Amino acid sequence: MIPVKIKLLNENAKVPTYCSDGAAAFDFYACKNTVIPDFMQVKVPLGIACEIPKGYVMLIMPRSSTGAKTPLRMCNSVGVIDSDYRGEICALYENSGYNNMYLDYEIYTGERIAQGFVLPVEQVKFNVVNKLSTTNRGEGGFGSTGK
């Protein structure tokens, strides 16, 4: 297990939890009621700050039920929490509209609103060269290997 120090920033903040024995990601909880107006984006405060060990990164993404059952979409797709960040962790969501009904969406205190995990990362050293090795794929980009 990777030790991660966590600071609760208010009385409604909760420590992230794994909700099943086989869960790969832990769930984050909203620490206050937050309204996300239709077609707007809002930072949803999670009420925690963490000390991620050097050489690791915390990634935050929406829970699958958020994508399947709500109009919410994470604006930056995946949030990256670097090991040297010590501020409040938030989830950045936008209300994409729900079947064109134009409704505000409310997130409630204590609701599981995002999920995350901590992974090892290595910084890279970039070496500028004039030529790269060749492969069968070559420069084939988006969709070049099929749908």
Side-chain angles (χ1 to χ4, degrees), residues 8-23:
L8 302 178
L9 301 177
N10 65 54
E11 66 279 356
N12 293 321
K14 294 176 77 171
V15 174
T17 60
Y18 290 95
C19 289
S20 73
D21 289 340

Side-chain angles (χ1 to χ4, degrees), residues 7-49:
K7 181 178 179 182
L8 302 178
L9 301 177
N10 65 54
E11 66 279 356
N12 293 321
K14 294 176 77 171
V15 174
T17 60
Y18 290 95
C19 289
S20 73
D21 289 340
F26 43 83
D27 289 340
F28 290 102
Y29 298 84
C31 70
K32 71 175 202 170
N33 291 348
T34 305
V35 174
I36 304 176
D38 197 37
F39 293 103
M40 298 294 290
Q41 64 183 23
V42 173
K43 280 197 291 189
V44 179
L46 303 177
I48 61 171

Side-chain angles (χ1 to χ4, degrees), residues 16-135:
T17 60
Y18 290 95
C19 289
S20 73
D21 289 340
F26 43 83
D27 289 340
F28 290 102
Y29 298 84
C31 70
K32 71 175 202 170
N33 291 348
T34 305
V35 174
I36 304 176
D38 197 37
F39 293 103
M40 298 294 290
Q41 64 183 23
V42 173
K43 280 197 291 189
V44 179
L46 303 177
I48 61 171
C50 291
E51 186 174 321
I52 309 302
K54 187 174 175 85
Y56 290 84
V57 64
M58 180 186 288
L59 300 178
I60 300 175
M61 57 214 58
R63 297 178 64 237
S64 59
S65 61
T66 302
K69 299 178 180 180
T70 77
L72 300 181
R73 302 296 173 257
M74 194 168 269
C75 298
N76 52 345
S77 300
V78 174
V80 174
I81 309 301
D82 296 310
S83 65
D84 58 351
Y85 178 67
R86 296 294 185 271
E88 181 172 22
I89 297 173
C90 298
L92 185 60
Y93 276 106
E94 68 179 340
N95 182 344
S96 65
Y98 195 66
N99 295 329
N100 295 319
M101 293 172 51
Y102 307 103
L103 300 172
D104 293 348
Y105 190 88
E106 187 164 4
I107 296 169
Y108 299 99
T109 302
E111 183 177 345
R112 291 182 294 158
I113 190 57
Q115 62 183 342
F117 47 90
V118 176
L119 295 173
V121 292
E122 290 189 44
Q123 290 188 336
V124 300
K125 178 183 177 200
F126 292 98
N127 296 313
V128 177
V129 297
N130 291 324
K131 187 176 180 180
L132 301 174
S133 64
T134 60
T135 66

Side-chain angles (χ1 to χ4, degrees), residues 137 139-147:
R137 182 175 182 178
E139 294 180 11
F142 297 103
S144 66
T145 62
K147 277 189 174 179

